[in-house]
Amino acid sequence: MHAGHLPREEDESMEDEPHPQEISPEPALCPDGDVAGSIADMPRPGEHAPGIRQEDDSSRENEERLNLMLEATNDGLWDRDIQTGRVYLSPRWYTMLGYEPYEMPPSYETWLSLIHEADRYRAETCVREHTEQKRDSYETEFRMQTKSGGWKWILSRGRVVAWDREGRPARIIGTHIDITERRRMEHRLRITELQKRAILDNIPDIAWQKDVQLHYVAVNEPFAHACGRSPPDVEGLTDLDVWPHRLARCYMADDREVMNSGRQKRIVEPLVDRDESLAWMETIKTPIFDSRGTVIGITGISRDITERKRAEDALKKANTRLNLLNGVTRHDIINQLTILLGYLRLDREEVIGPERLRILEKEISAAEMIQHLIGFTRDYQDIGLSSPRWQGVRETVARAAASLDVASVQVVNELDDLEIFADPLLEKVFYNLMDNALRYGVTTGTIRFRAYPADRGMVVACEDDGVGISGAEKKRIFSRGYGKNTGYGLFLIREILAITGLSIRECGIPGEGARFEITVPPGLYRGCKREQDAD
């Protein structure tokens, strides 16, 4: 990790808080020493103010009204007559710092002495620039010491409201607002942002986050390197601004699909980097939800799998060539076997003697078994050739049943919308299970498929009401070469399922029927509505 130092959360003293940036017209109060006079004497802008007038009933009423308004807004008021140096500080001005009203003399020096040393020069500079008419008003933030010795952040706003006959500032008034809690929240937010940035930048893969309009909210350094920009330059843009349009439209279509479905999606997609080199990325896109469950954006992580993709493509081409060679060889062998069987059958018609006939029948039987095995290899030559994928189990069972003569039995399919992640030869698994029930069940009248949750994930069960499998055979039926036909059917079923981590066992009761249970681990199944208890 190279996240750098994170700012610690502000305590009441906030000694290490960085200087805030000045906001337009800056701090409060005047450079020549005081903080301004009585609120009762506030003239309208443009009036000349020779001094502070004696309060009358109308001014007292105005003062009371203004004080009530300030109390309602929880703001402190200050009012300074620049010419006389007289200052008025409202009760709230004191109490927001923990002092009793008028506990300290109302003066410019009082105000200045309470400001944090690191903020004092900036505050005075702001006031001076305003009173020198370099600014129309000012607004700034600084720390002020409380009675308990701590510090509070204050937002100070002020404006000159009266001038003398020579046009010099004569009176300035303003407010203090306690923004300590806001500053603490901002500080925590900065820490959170820095932590998020540290995590993002230390992910070696490309990582990004977008809002619901698909504008980039944040990207990491690997992302920026891939597109030849800096992270701040990417933020606010869309894929159409960053990538070639033909790719960008595909990226955005996938993003919308993920946000609309509310489900994570894994995608293998191309990426053209800043050198115009084609790379292959495996991307996981995940929707982002707010506390109410509303999608508010999407995040993604992309890993470069170019080398793996090249290796997979090379392996696929090699397997294709091997399958082509196997197909040609198998075809030639079958042709020769057909010729051999033809001659053997002709010999059978002319053979003399029972012993010679017995030997010839064995030769014919062996040749027919070789022919059958060669045909079997054709059916299973594609094991592991194609990548595993999500497959609807109900539909796969239905396709397998359609390939068999099941007119004599009832096939009950209770699998609903279950999908499992398995080799494309999953259909062969269900085909062989049903074929075994038809061939060896003897009394089989019903073949049932259903699914239910178990401790180790989800179970897909295939059960029939035939004669079942004896206890001695249960452990051997999945062994290579064991069986009544080729001896490879159940063995290959187990191998097909094992490609993605699925397992199978037989747990039926002899005399009552066979029951094959396929266990699907968590993460390899989804979308099962029917969750029945195991019998």
Coordinates of all heavy atoms in Angstrom, one line a residue, residues 334-418:
I334 N -14.0 -47.6 -38.2 CA -15.4 -48.1 -38.3 C -15.6 -48.8 -39.7 O -16.2 -49.8 -39.8 CB -16.4 -47.0 -38.1 CG1 -16.4 -46.6 -36.6 CG2 -17.8 -47.5 -38.5 CD1 -17.3 -45.5 -36.3
N335 N -15.0 -48.2 -40.7 CA -15.1 -48.8 -42.0 C -14.4 -50.2 -42.1 O -15.0 -51.1 -42.6 CB -14.4 -47.9 -43.1 CG -15.3 -46.7 -43.4 OD1 -16.5 -46.7 -43.1 ND2 -14.7 -45.7 -44.0
Q336 N -13.2 -50.2 -41.5 CA -12.5 -51.5 -41.5 C -13.3 -52.5 -40.6 O -13.3 -53.7 -40.9 CB -11.1 -51.3 -40.9 CG -10.2 -50.5 -41.8 CD -10.1 -51.0 -43.2 OE1 -9.9 -52.2 -43.4 NE2 -10.3 -50.2 -44.2
L337 N -13.8 -52.1 -39.5 CA -14.6 -53.0 -38.6 C -15.8 -53.5 -39.4 O -16.2 -54.7 -39.2 CB -15.0 -52.3 -37.3 CG -14.0 -52.2 -36.2 CD1 -14.5 -51.3 -35.1 CD2 -13.8 -53.6 -35.7
T338 N -16.5 -52.6 -40.1 CA -17.6 -53.0 -40.9 C -17.3 -54.1 -41.9 O -18.0 -55.1 -42.0 CB -18.2 -51.8 -41.6 OG1 -18.6 -50.8 -40.7 CG2 -19.5 -52.2 -42.4
I339 N -16.1 -54.0 -42.5 CA -15.7 -55.0 -43.5 C -15.4 -56.3 -42.7 O -15.8 -57.4 -43.2 CB -14.4 -54.5 -44.2 CG1 -14.8 -53.3 -45.1 CG2 -13.8 -55.6 -45.0 CD1 -13.6 -52.6 -45.7
L340 N -14.7 -56.2 -41.6 CA -14.3 -57.4 -40.8 C -15.5 -58.1 -40.3 O -15.6 -59.3 -40.4 CB -13.5 -56.9 -39.6 CG -13.1 -58.0 -38.6 CD1 -12.2 -59.1 -39.3 CD2 -12.3 -57.5 -37.4
L341 N -16.5 -57.3 -39.8 CA -17.8 -58.0 -39.4 C -18.5 -58.7 -40.5 O -19.1 -59.7 -40.3 CB -18.7 -56.9 -38.7 CG -18.3 -56.6 -37.2 CD1 -19.1 -55.4 -36.8 CD2 -18.6 -57.8 -36.3
G342 N -18.4 -58.1 -41.7 CA -19.1 -58.7 -42.8 C -18.5 -60.0 -43.2 O -19.2 -61.0 -43.4
Y343 N -17.1 -60.1 -43.2 CA -16.5 -61.3 -43.5 C -16.7 -62.4 -42.4 O -16.9 -63.6 -42.6 CB -15.0 -61.1 -43.6 CG -14.6 -60.6 -45.0 CD1 -14.0 -59.3 -45.2 CD2 -14.9 -61.3 -46.2 CE1 -13.7 -58.8 -46.4 CE2 -14.6 -60.9 -47.4 CZ -14.0 -59.6 -47.6 OH -13.7 -59.1 -48.8
L344 N -16.7 -61.9 -41.1 CA -17.0 -62.9 -40.0 C -18.4 -63.4 -40.1 O -18.6 -64.6 -39.8 CB -16.8 -62.2 -38.7 CG -15.3 -61.8 -38.3 CD1 -15.3 -61.0 -37.0 CD2 -14.5 -63.1 -38.1
R345 N -19.3 -62.6 -40.4 CA -20.7 -63.1 -40.5 C -20.9 -64.1 -41.7 O -21.7 -65.0 -41.7 CB -21.7 -62.0 -40.6 CG -21.8 -61.3 -39.3 CD -22.5 -59.9 -39.4 NE -22.5 -59.2 -38.1 CZ -22.6 -57.9 -38.0 NH1 -22.6 -57.1 -39.0 NH2 -22.7 -57.4 -36.8
L346 N -20.1 -63.8 -42.8 CA -20.1 -64.8 -43.9 C -19.5 -66.1 -43.5 O -20.0 -67.2 -43.9 CB -19.4 -64.2 -45.1 CG -20.1 -63.1 -45.9 CD1 -19.1 -62.5 -47.0 CD2 -21.3 -63.6 -46.6
D347 N -18.4 -66.0 -42.7 CA -17.8 -67.3 -42.3 C -18.7 -68.1 -41.4 O -18.7 -69.3 -41.4 CB -16.5 -66.9 -41.5 CG -15.3 -66.5 -42.4 OD1 -15.5 -66.7 -43.6 OD2 -14.4 -66.0 -41.8
R348 N -19.5 -67.4 -40.6 CA -20.5 -68.1 -39.7 C -21.4 -68.9 -40.5 O -21.8 -70.0 -40.0 CB -21.2 -67.0 -38.9 CG -22.1 -67.7 -37.8 CD -22.7 -66.6 -36.9 NE -23.4 -65.5 -37.6 CZ -23.8 -64.4 -37.0 NH1 -23.7 -64.2 -35.7 NH2 -24.4 -63.5 -37.7
E349 N -21.8 -68.6 -41.7 CA -22.7 -69.3 -42.5 C -22.1 -70.6 -43.0 O -22.8 -71.6 -43.4 CB -23.3 -68.5 -43.6 CG -24.1 -67.3 -43.1 CD -24.6 -66.4 -44.3 OE1 -24.2 -66.7 -45.4 OE2 -25.2 -65.4 -44.0
E350 N -20.8 -70.6 -43.1 CA -20.1 -71.7 -43.8 C -19.3 -72.6 -42.8 O -18.7 -73.6 -43.2 CB -19.2 -71.2 -44.9 CG -19.9 -70.5 -46.0 CD -19.0 -70.0 -47.1 OE1 -17.8 -70.3 -47.0 OE2 -19.5 -69.3 -48.0
V351 N -19.2 -72.1 -41.5 CA -18.4 -72.8 -40.6 C -18.9 -74.2 -40.3 O -20.2 -74.4 -40.3 CB -18.2 -72.0 -39.3 CG1 -19.5 -72.0 -38.5 CG2 -17.1 -72.6 -38.4
I352 N -18.0 -75.2 -40.0 CA -18.5 -76.6 -39.7 C -17.9 -76.9 -38.3 O -16.7 -76.7 -38.0 CB -17.9 -77.5 -40.8 CG1 -18.4 -77.2 -42.2 CG2 -18.2 -79.0 -40.4 CD1 -17.8 -78.1 -43.2
G353 N -18.8 -77.4 -37.5 CA -18.4 -77.8 -36.1 C -18.7 -76.8 -35.1 O -18.6 -75.6 -35.3
P354 N -19.3 -77.2 -33.9 CA -19.8 -76.3 -32.9 C -18.6 -75.6 -32.2 O -18.8 -74.4 -31.9 CB -20.4 -77.3 -31.9 CG -19.8 -78.6 -32.1 CD -19.5 -78.7 -33.6
E355 N -17.4 -76.1 -32.1 CA -16.3 -75.4 -31.4 C -15.9 -74.2 -32.3 O -15.6 -73.1 -31.8 CB -15.2 -76.4 -31.2 CG -14.0 -75.8 -30.4 CD -14.3 -75.3 -29.1 OE1 -15.3 -75.7 -28.5 OE2 -13.6 -74.4 -28.6
R356 N -15.8 -74.5 -33.6 CA -15.4 -73.4 -34.5 C -16.4 -72.3 -34.5 O -16.1 -71.1 -34.5 CB -15.2 -74.0 -35.9 CG -14.9 -73.0 -37.0 CD -13.6 -72.2 -36.7 NE -13.4 -71.2 -37.7 CZ -12.6 -70.1 -37.5 NH1 -12.1 -69.9 -36.3 NH2 -12.5 -69.3 -38.5
L357 N -17.7 -72.7 -34.4 CA -18.8 -71.7 -34.4 C -18.7 -70.9 -33.1 O -19.0 -69.7 -33.1 CB -20.1 -72.4 -34.5 CG -21.4 -71.5 -34.6 CD1 -21.3 -70.6 -35.8 CD2 -22.7 -72.4 -34.6
R358 N -18.4 -71.5 -32.0 CA -18.4 -70.8 -30.7 C -17.2 -69.7 -30.8 O -17.4 -68.6 -30.3 CB -18.1 -71.8 -29.6 CG -18.1 -71.2 -28.2 CD -17.9 -72.2 -27.2 NE -16.5 -72.8 -27.3 CZ -15.4 -72.2 -26.8 NH1 -15.5 -71.1 -26.2 NH2 -14.2 -72.8 -27.0
I359 N -16.1 -70.1 -31.3 CA -15.0 -69.2 -31.4 C -15.4 -68.0 -32.4 O -15.1 -66.8 -32.1 CB -13.7 -69.9 -31.9 CG1 -13.3 -70.9 -30.9 CG2 -12.6 -68.9 -32.3 CD1 -12.2 -71.8 -31.3
L360 N -16.0 -68.3 -33.4 CA -16.4 -67.3 -34.4 C -17.4 -66.3 -33.8 O -17.3 -65.1 -34.0 CB -17.0 -68.0 -35.6 CG -17.2 -67.0 -36.9 CD1 -15.9 -66.4 -37.3 CD2 -17.8 -67.8 -38.0
E361 N -18.3 -66.8 -33.0 CA -19.3 -65.9 -32.3 C -18.6 -65.0 -31.4 O -18.9 -63.8 -31.3 CB -20.3 -66.8 -31.6 CG -21.3 -67.5 -32.4 CD -22.3 -66.6 -33.2 OE1 -22.3 -65.4 -32.9 OE2 -22.9 -67.1 -34.1
K362 N -17.5 -65.4 -30.7 CA -16.8 -64.6 -29.8 C -16.0 -63.5 -30.6 O -15.9 -62.3 -30.2 CB -15.8 -65.4 -29.0 CG -16.5 -66.2 -27.9 CD -15.4 -66.9 -27.0 CE -16.1 -67.6 -25.8 NZ -15.1 -68.3 -25.0
E363 N -15.5 -63.9 -31.7 CA -14.8 -62.9 -32.6 C -15.8 -61.8 -33.1 O -15.5 -60.6 -33.1 CB -14.2 -63.6 -33.8 CG -13.1 -64.5 -33.4 CD -12.6 -65.4 -34.6 OE1 -13.3 -65.4 -35.6 OE2 -11.5 -66.0 -34.5
I364 N -17.0 -62.2 -33.5 CA -18.0 -61.3 -33.9 C -18.4 -60.4 -32.8 O -18.6 -59.1 -32.9 CB -19.3 -62.0 -34.5 CG1 -18.9 -62.7 -35.8 CG2 -20.4 -61.0 -34.7 CD1 -20.0 -63.6 -36.3
S365 N -18.6 -61.0 -31.6 CA -19.0 -60.2 -30.4 C -17.9 -59.1 -30.0 O -18.2 -58.0 -29.7 CB -19.3 -61.1 -29.2 OG -19.6 -60.3 -28.1
A366 N -16.7 -59.5 -30.1 CA -15.6 -58.6 -29.8 C -15.5 -57.5 -30.8 O -15.3 -56.3 -30.4 CB -14.3 -59.4 -29.8
A367 N -15.7 -57.8 -32.1 CA -15.7 -56.7 -33.1 C -16.9 -55.8 -32.9 O -16.7 -54.5 -33.1 CB -15.7 -57.4 -34.5
E368 N -18.0 -56.3 -32.6 CA -19.2 -55.4 -32.3 C -19.0 -54.5 -31.1 O -19.4 -53.4 -31.1 CB -20.4 -56.3 -32.1 CG -20.9 -57.0 -33.4 CD -22.1 -57.9 -33.2 OE1 -22.3 -58.3 -32.0 OE2 -22.8 -58.2 -34.2
M369 N -18.3 -55.0 -30.1 CA -18.0 -54.2 -28.9 C -17.0 -53.1 -29.3 O -17.2 -51.9 -28.8 CB -17.4 -55.1 -27.8 CG -17.0 -54.3 -26.6 SD -18.3 -53.3 -25.8 CE -19.3 -54.6 -25.1
I370 N -16.0 -53.4 -30.1 CA -15.1 -52.4 -30.5 C -15.8 -51.3 -31.3 O -15.6 -50.1 -31.1 CB -14.0 -53.0 -31.4 CG1 -13.1 -53.9 -30.6 CG2 -13.1 -51.9 -32.1 CD1 -12.1 -54.7 -31.4
Q371 N -16.8 -51.8 -32.2 CA -17.6 -50.8 -33.0 C -18.4 -49.9 -32.0 O -18.5 -48.7 -32.3 CB -18.5 -51.6 -33.9 CG -19.2 -50.7 -35.0 CD -20.0 -51.6 -35.9 OE1 -20.8 -52.4 -35.5 NE2 -19.8 -51.3 -37.2
H372 N -19.0 -50.5 -31.0 CA -19.8 -49.8 -30.1 C -18.9 -48.7 -29.3 O -19.3 -47.6 -29.1 CB -20.5 -50.7 -29.1 CG -21.4 -50.0 -28.1 ND1 -22.6 -49.4 -28.5 CD2 -21.3 -49.8 -26.8 CE1 -23.2 -48.9 -27.4 NE2 -22.4 -49.1 -26.4
L373 N -17.7 -49.2 -28.8 CA -16.8 -48.3 -28.1 C -16.4 -47.1 -29.0 O -16.2 -46.0 -28.5 CB -15.6 -49.1 -27.6 CG -15.9 -50.0 -26.4 CD1 -14.7 -50.9 -26.1 CD2 -16.3 -49.2 -25.2
I374 N -16.1 -47.4 -30.2 CA -15.7 -46.3 -31.1 C -16.8 -45.3 -31.3 O -16.6 -44.1 -31.3 CB -15.3 -46.9 -32.5 CG1 -14.1 -47.7 -32.4 CG2 -15.1 -45.8 -33.5 CD1 -12.8 -46.9 -32.1
G375 N -18.1 -45.8 -31.4 CA -19.2 -44.9 -31.4 C -19.3 -44.1 -30.1 O -19.7 -42.9 -30.1
F376 N -19.0 -44.7 -29.0 CA -19.1 -44.0 -27.7 C -18.1 -42.9 -27.6 O -18.4 -41.8 -27.1 CB -18.9 -45.1 -26.6 CG -19.1 -44.6 -25.2 CD1 -20.3 -44.4 -24.7 CD2 -18.0 -44.2 -24.4 CE1 -20.5 -44.0 -23.4 CE2 -18.1 -43.7 -23.1 CZ -19.4 -43.6 -22.6
T377 N -16.9 -43.1 -28.1 CA -15.9 -42.0 -28.1 C -16.3 -40.8 -28.9 O -16.0 -39.7 -28.6 CB -14.6 -42.5 -28.6 OG1 -14.7 -42.9 -30.0 CG2 -14.0 -43.7 -27.8
R378 N -17.1 -41.0 -29.9 CA -17.6 -39.9 -30.7 C -18.6 -39.0 -29.9 O -18.5 -37.8 -29.9 CB -18.4 -40.4 -31.9 CG -19.0 -39.3 -32.8 CD -19.9 -39.9 -33.9 NE -21.0 -40.5 -33.3 CZ -21.3 -41.8 -33.6 NH1 -20.5 -42.6 -34.3 NH2 -22.4 -42.4 -33.0
D379 N -19.4 -39.7 -29.0 CA -20.3 -38.9 -28.2 C -19.6 -38.1 -27.1 O -20.2 -37.0 -26.7 CB -21.3 -39.9 -27.5 CG -22.2 -40.6 -28.6 OD1 -22.4 -40.0 -29.7 OD2 -22.8 -41.6 -28.3
Y380 N -18.5 -38.5 -26.6 CA -17.8 -37.9 -25.5 C -16.5 -37.2 -25.9 O -15.7 -36.8 -25.0 CB -17.6 -38.9 -24.4 CG -18.9 -39.2 -23.7 CD1 -19.7 -40.3 -24.1 CD2 -19.5 -38.4 -22.7 CE1 -20.9 -40.6 -23.6 CE2 -20.7 -38.8 -22.1 CZ -21.4 -39.9 -22.5 OH -22.6 -40.2 -21.9
Q381 N -16.2 -37.0 -27.2 CA -15.0 -36.4 -27.6 C -14.9 -34.9 -27.2 O -13.8 -34.4 -27.1 CB -14.7 -36.6 -29.1 CG -15.7 -35.7 -29.9 CD -15.4 -35.8 -31.4 OE1 -14.4 -36.5 -31.8 NE2 -16.2 -35.2 -32.2
D382 N -16.0 -34.3 -26.9 CA -16.0 -32.9 -26.6 C -15.9 -32.5 -25.1 O -16.1 -31.4 -24.7 CB -17.2 -32.2 -27.2 CG -17.2 -32.2 -28.7 OD1 -16.1 -32.2 -29.3 OD2 -18.3 -32.3 -29.3
I383 N -15.7 -33.5 -24.2 CA -15.6 -33.2 -22.8 C -14.5 -32.2 -22.5 O -13.3 -32.4 -22.9 CB -15.3 -34.5 -22.0 CG1 -16.5 -35.4 -22.0 CG2 -15.0 -34.2 -20.6 CD1 -16.3 -36.7 -21.3
G384 N -14.8 -31.1 -21.9 CA -13.9 -30.1 -21.5 C -13.4 -29.2 -22.7 O -12.6 -28.3 -22.5
L385 N -13.9 -29.4 -23.9 CA -13.5 -28.7 -25.0 C -14.0 -27.2 -25.0 O -13.3 -26.3 -25.3 CB -13.9 -29.4 -26.3 CG -13.4 -28.7 -27.6 CD1 -11.9 -28.7 -27.7 CD2 -14.0 -29.4 -28.8
S386 N -15.3 -27.1 -24.6 CA -15.9 -25.8 -24.5 C -15.9 -25.3 -23.1 O -16.0 -26.1 -22.1 CB -17.3 -25.8 -25.1 OG -17.3 -26.2 -26.5
S387 N -16.0 -24.0 -22.9 CA -16.0 -23.4 -21.5 C -17.3 -23.7 -20.8 O -18.4 -23.8 -21.5 CB -15.8 -21.9 -21.6 OG -14.5 -21.6 -22.1
P388 N -17.3 -24.0 -19.5 CA -18.5 -24.2 -18.8 C -19.4 -22.9 -18.9 O -18.9 -21.8 -19.1 CB -18.1 -24.4 -17.3 CG -16.6 -24.9 -17.4 CD -16.1 -24.1 -18.7
R389 N -20.7 -23.1 -18.7 CA -21.6 -22.0 -18.8 C -22.9 -22.3 -17.9 O -23.1 -23.4 -17.5 CB -22.1 -21.8 -20.2 CG -22.8 -22.9 -20.9 CD -23.3 -22.6 -22.3 NE -24.0 -23.7 -22.9 CZ -23.4 -24.5 -23.8 NH1 -22.2 -24.2 -24.2 NH2 -24.1 -25.5 -24.4
W390 N -23.6 -21.2 -17.7 CA -24.9 -21.3 -16.9 C -25.9 -22.0 -17.8 O -26.1 -21.6 -19.0 CB -25.4 -20.0 -16.5 CG -24.6 -19.4 -15.4 CD1 -23.6 -18.4 -15.5 CD2 -24.6 -19.7 -14.0 NE1 -23.1 -18.1 -14.3 CE2 -23.7 -18.9 -13.3 CE3 -25.4 -20.6 -13.2 CZ2 -23.5 -19.0 -11.9 CZ3 -25.2 -20.7 -11.9 CH2 -24.2 -19.9 -11.2
Q391 N -26.6 -23.1 -17.3 CA -27.5 -23.8 -18.1 C -28.8 -24.0 -17.2 O -28.7 -24.4 -16.1 CB -26.9 -25.2 -18.5 CG -25.7 -25.1 -19.3 CD -25.0 -26.4 -19.6 OE1 -25.6 -27.2 -20.2 NE2 -23.8 -26.6 -19.0
G392 N -29.9 -23.8 -17.9 CA -31.2 -24.1 -17.2 C -31.4 -25.6 -17.1 O -31.5 -26.3 -18.2
V393 N -31.5 -26.1 -15.9 CA -31.6 -27.6 -15.7 C -32.9 -28.2 -16.3 O -32.9 -29.2 -16.9 CB -31.4 -27.9 -14.2 CG1 -31.3 -29.4 -14.1 CG2 -30.1 -27.3 -13.7
R394 N -34.0 -27.5 -16.1 CA -35.3 -28.0 -16.5 C -35.2 -28.2 -18.1 O -35.7 -29.2 -18.6 CB -36.4 -27.0 -16.1 CG -37.8 -27.4 -16.6 CD -38.8 -26.4 -16.2 NE -40.2 -26.8 -16.6 CZ -40.9 -27.6 -15.9 NH1 -40.5 -28.1 -14.8 NH2 -42.1 -28.0 -16.4
E395 N -34.7 -27.2 -18.8 CA -34.7 -27.2 -20.2 C -33.7 -28.3 -20.7 O -33.9 -29.0 -21.7 CB -34.3 -25.9 -20.8 CG -35.2 -24.8 -20.6 CD -35.2 -24.2 -19.2 OE1 -34.2 -24.5 -18.4 OE2 -36.0 -23.4 -18.8
T396 N -32.6 -28.5 -19.9 CA -31.6 -29.5 -20.3 C -32.1 -30.9 -20.2 O -31.9 -31.8 -21.0 CB -30.3 -29.3 -19.5 OG1 -29.8 -28.0 -19.6 CG2 -29.2 -30.3 -19.9
V397 N -32.9 -31.1 -19.1 CA -33.5 -32.4 -18.9 C -34.5 -32.7 -20.0 O -34.6 -33.8 -20.5 CB -34.2 -32.5 -17.5 CG1 -35.1 -33.7 -17.3 CG2 -33.1 -32.5 -16.4
A398 N -35.3 -31.7 -20.3 CA -36.3 -31.9 -21.4 C -35.7 -32.2 -22.7 O -36.2 -33.1 -23.4 CB -37.1 -30.6 -21.5
R399 N -34.5 -31.6 -23.0 CA -33.9 -31.9 -24.3 C -33.3 -33.4 -24.3 O -33.4 -34.1 -25.2 CB -32.7 -31.0 -24.6 CG -33.1 -29.6 -25.0 CD -32.0 -28.8 -25.6 NE -30.8 -28.7 -24.7 CZ -30.7 -27.8 -23.8 NH1 -31.6 -26.8 -23.7 NH2 -29.6 -27.7 -23.0
A400 N -32.8 -33.8 -23.1 CA -32.3 -35.1 -23.0 C -33.4 -36.2 -23.1 O -33.2 -37.2 -23.8 CB -31.6 -35.3 -21.6
A401 N -34.5 -35.9 -22.5 CA -35.7 -36.8 -22.6 C -36.2 -36.9 -24.0 O -36.6 -38.0 -24.4 CB -36.8 -36.3 -21.6
A402 N -36.1 -35.8 -24.7 CA -36.6 -35.8 -26.1 C -35.8 -36.7 -27.0 O -36.2 -37.2 -28.1 CB -36.7 -34.4 -26.7
S403 N -34.5 -37.0 -26.6 CA -33.6 -37.8 -27.4 C -33.8 -39.3 -27.1 O -33.1 -40.2 -27.7 CB -32.2 -37.4 -27.1 OG -32.0 -36.1 -27.4
L404 N -34.6 -39.7 -26.1 CA -34.8 -41.1 -25.7 C -36.2 -41.5 -26.0 O -37.1 -40.7 -26.1 CB -34.5 -41.2 -24.2 CG -33.1 -41.1 -23.7 CD1 -33.0 -40.9 -22.2 CD2 -32.4 -42.4 -24.1
D405 N -36.4 -42.8 -26.1 CA -37.7 -43.4 -26.2 C -38.3 -43.6 -24.8 O -38.0 -44.6 -24.1 CB -37.7 -44.7 -26.9 CG -39.1 -45.3 -27.1 OD1 -40.1 -44.6 -26.8 OD2 -39.1 -46.5 -27.6
V406 N -39.1 -42.6 -24.3 CA -39.6 -42.6 -23.0 C -41.1 -42.8 -23.0 O -41.8 -42.5 -22.0 CB -39.2 -41.3 -22.2 CG1 -37.7 -41.2 -22.0 CG2 -39.7 -40.1 -23.0
A407 N -41.6 -43.4 -24.0 CA -43.1 -43.6 -24.1 C -43.6 -44.5 -23.1 O -44.7 -44.4 -22.6 CB -43.4 -44.1 -25.5
S408 N -42.7 -45.4 -22.6 CA -43.2 -46.4 -21.6 C -43.1 -46.0 -20.2 O -43.5 -46.7 -19.3 CB -42.3 -47.7 -21.8 OG -40.9 -47.4 -21.5
V409 N -42.5 -44.8 -19.9 CA -42.4 -44.3 -18.6 C -42.9 -42.8 -18.5 O -43.1 -42.1 -19.6 CB -41.0 -44.3 -18.1 CG1 -40.4 -45.7 -18.1 CG2 -40.1 -43.4 -18.9
Q410 N -43.1 -42.3 -17.3 CA -43.5 -40.9 -17.1 C -42.3 -40.2 -16.6 O -41.7 -40.6 -15.5 CB -44.7 -40.8 -16.1 CG -45.1 -39.4 -15.8 CD -46.2 -39.3 -14.8 OE1 -46.4 -40.3 -14.0 NE2 -46.9 -38.2 -14.7
V411 N -41.9 -39.1 -17.2 CA -40.8 -38.3 -16.8 C -41.4 -37.0 -16.1 O -42.1 -36.2 -16.8 CB -39.9 -37.9 -18.0 CG1 -38.8 -36.9 -17.5 CG2 -39.3 -39.1 -18.6
V412 N -41.1 -36.9 -14.8 CA -41.7 -35.7 -14.1 C -40.5 -34.7 -13.8 O -39.5 -35.1 -13.2 CB -42.2 -36.2 -12.7 CG1 -42.8 -35.0 -11.9 CG2 -43.3 -37.3 -12.9
N413 N -40.7 -33.6 -14.3 CA -39.6 -32.5 -14.3 C -40.1 -31.4 -13.4 O -41.0 -30.6 -13.7 CB -39.4 -32.0 -15.7 CG -38.1 -31.1 -15.7 OD1 -37.7 -30.6 -14.7 ND2 -37.6 -30.9 -16.9
E414 N -39.5 -31.3 -12.1 CA -40.0 -30.4 -11.1 C -38.9 -29.3 -10.8 O -38.8 -28.8 -9.7 CB -40.4 -31.1 -9.8 CG -41.5 -32.0 -10.0 CD -41.8 -32.8 -8.7 OE1 -41.0 -32.8 -7.8 OE2 -42.9 -33.4 -8.6
L415 N -38.0 -29.1 -11.8 CA -36.8 -28.3 -11.5 C -37.1 -26.7 -11.6 O -36.2 -26.0 -11.3 CB -35.7 -28.7 -12.5 CG -35.2 -30.1 -12.2 CD1 -34.4 -30.6 -13.4 CD2 -34.4 -30.1 -10.9
D416 N -38.2 -26.3 -12.2 CA -38.5 -24.9 -12.3 C -37.3 -24.1 -12.9 O -36.8 -24.5 -14.0 CB -38.8 -24.3 -10.9 CG -40.2 -24.8 -10.4 OD1 -41.0 -25.0 -11.3 OD2 -40.4 -24.9 -9.2
D417 N -36.9 -23.0 -12.3 CA -36.0 -22.1 -13.0 C -34.5 -22.3 -12.6 O -33.7 -21.3 -12.7 CB -36.4 -20.6 -12.9 CG -36.3 -20.1 -11.5 OD1 -36.2 -21.0 -10.6 OD2 -36.3 -18.9 -11.3
L418 N -34.2 -23.4 -12.0 CA -32.8 -23.6 -11.5 C -31.8 -23.6 -12.7 O -32.0 -24.2 -13.7 CB -32.7 -25.0 -10.8 CG -31.3 -25.4 -10.3 CD1 -30.9 -24.4 -9.2 CD2 -31.4 -26.8 -9.8

